[in-house]
């Protein structure tokens, strides 16, 4: 088994949200879940080779298998492009759970994942639901809640200021139970900090210590909802400042940033 440790979306060298990229790992979902549960990092992706430069990506958080994790996909891109060399063309992955195609490309020092907006569950979401999920009875949102997805649906909530964003300590089990019941991968809360710039926090893991330093699927979902390119800051208050860049090209959403492998001991 080969295990690559890759901090992804780091705003600075040496920072980022760590993903483990595993090759020749355990074969069954139960074994893979047990491996992910034993790791100190928020996400693992198991790579299985397909035909003609095609790869299958199987994603696991410590508490659950996931249909998609973009920071782990960025980690996979770093590993695969490093092996293929500077002249490598785009690489294609398919997600293990849903067969969603993901195109990986490299632009300078950054890697990008190109994917399409996806359908979301038909749910009524409003301010009262947001207040209950975040345990904030007096919550005032800056925009109406919305569901959006590029492969893993998110409930997007915008608050008016950073102080509100940073103060949130929601009941994670409540969010997880609601998300499991409705096919939604947690809440992503943002505040606007510039013309096309946002800061965000992701509430999906059950352990507060495992809060995401960067959530690419949320950046993609927000881009799909807004219909324009954004920059998204995350993880600074957690000691791992991250920066996600997105673009919209011919209907596709590109989500990207820095990914640097940690040298093996």
């Amino acid at each position: 088994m080969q295990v690559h440790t890759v901090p992804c979306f780091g705003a600075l060298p040496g920072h980022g949200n760590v993903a483990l990229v595993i090759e020749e790992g355990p074969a069954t979902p139960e074994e893979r879940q047990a491996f992910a549960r034993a790791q100190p990092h928020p996400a693992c992706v198991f790579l299985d080779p397909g035909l003609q430069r095609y790869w299958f990506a199987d994603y696991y958080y410590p508490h659950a298998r996931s249909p998609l994790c973009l920071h782990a996909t960025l980690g996979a891109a770093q590993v695969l492009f490093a092996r293929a060399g500077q002249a490598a063309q785009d690489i294609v992955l398919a997600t293990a759970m849903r067969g969603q195609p993901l195109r990986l490309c490299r632009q300078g020092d950054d890697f990008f994942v190109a994917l399409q907006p996806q359908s979301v569950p038909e749910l009524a979401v409003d301010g009262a639901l947001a207040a209950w999920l975040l345990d904030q009875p007096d919550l005032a949102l800056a925009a109406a809640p919305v569901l959006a997805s590029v492969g893993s649906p998110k409930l997007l909530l915008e608050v008016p200021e950073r102080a509100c964003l940073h103060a949130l300590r929601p009941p994670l089990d409540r969010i997880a139970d609601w998300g499991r019941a409705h096919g939604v991968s947690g809440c992503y809360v943002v505040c606007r900090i510039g013309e096309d710039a946002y800061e965000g926090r992701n509430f999906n893991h059950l352990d507060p210590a495992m809060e995401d330093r960067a959530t690419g699927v949320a950046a993609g979902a927000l881009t799909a909802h807004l219909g324009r390119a954004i920059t998204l800051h995350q993880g600074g208050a957690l000691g791992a400042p991250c920066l996600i860049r997105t673009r919209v090209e011919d209907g596709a959403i590109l989500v990207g940033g820095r990914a640097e492998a940690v040298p093996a001991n």
Side-chain angles (χ1 to χ4, degrees):
M1 180 166 62
Q2 299 181 63
V3 180
H4 310 271
T5 303
V6 188
C8 303
F9 294 122
L12 301 167
H15 291 275
N17 199 24
V18 174
L20 296 184
V21 181
I22 301 101
E23 300 178 273
E24 302 175 4
T28 70
E30 293 78 15
E31 291 173 312
R32 291 178 174 188
Q33 186 66 75
F35 178 90
R37 192 178 301 117
Q39 307 310 310
H41 302 301
C44 297
V45 56
F46 294 84
L47 292 181
D48 300 308
L51 299 175
Q52 297 180 345
R53 298 178 66 248
Y54 209 88
W55 293 82
F56 292 96
D58 197 8
Y59 305 97
Y60 291 81
Y61 300 130
H63 66 288
R65 193 183 189 193
S66 176
L68 179 64
C69 174
L70 281 189
H71 96 265
T73 305
L74 212 69
Q78 195 283 330
V79 170
L80 295 174
F81 274 109
R83 182 174 304 152
Q86 289 294 324
Q89 299 178 345
D90 294 357
I91 296 171
V92 178
L93 301 181
T95 63
M97 286 184 69
R98 297 178 180 169
Q100 180 183 359
L102 307 173
R103 178 172 58 87
L104 312 181
C105 56
R106 177 171 52 191
Q107 298 182 6
D109 293 332
D110 290 344
F111 300 91
F112 284 83
V113 184
L115 60 174
Q116 297 290 328
Q118 303 290 306
S119 61
V120 296
E122 294 185 5
L123 297 173
V125 294
D126 57 18
L129 173 65
W132 176 72
L133 287 171
L134 297 179
D135 197 25
Q136 295 286 316
D138 299 322
L139 181 68
L141 294 174
V146 65
L147 288 167
S149 178
V150 290
S152 184
K154 289 286 183 185
L155 176 60
L156 303 177
L157 307 172
E158 184 179 345
V159 294
E161 56 187 18
R162 275 175 162 165
C164 178
L165 178 69
H166 293 176
L168 291 173
R169 301 291 184 273
L172 299 177
D173 54 347
R174 179 184 298 177
I175 293 172
D177 289 345
W178 178 84
R180 192 178 302 113
H182 296 95
V184 178
S185 297
C187 298
Y188 195 76
V189 187
V190 301
C191 67
R192 190 170 179 175
I193 58 174
E195 180 65 26
D196 291 308
Y198 294 81
E199 182 175 350
R201 293 179 66 191
N202 186 52
F203 300 111
N204 188 19
H205 289 288
L206 290 172
D207 181 355
M210 297 297 285
E211 181 179 332
D212 261 353
R213 275 60 177 162
T215 313
V217 292
L222 184 58
T223 300
H225 168 60
L226 296 173
R228 64 177 188 270
I230 63 169
T231 56
L232 182 63
H233 298 260
Q234 191 175 340
L238 302 171
C242 292
L243 178 63
I244 305 172
R245 299 179 178 88
T246 74
R247 300 201 306 272
V248 180
E249 294 183 358
D250 299 324
I253 306 296
L254 275 71
V255 180
R258 181 191 300 269
E260 300 174 306
V262 174
N265 293 330

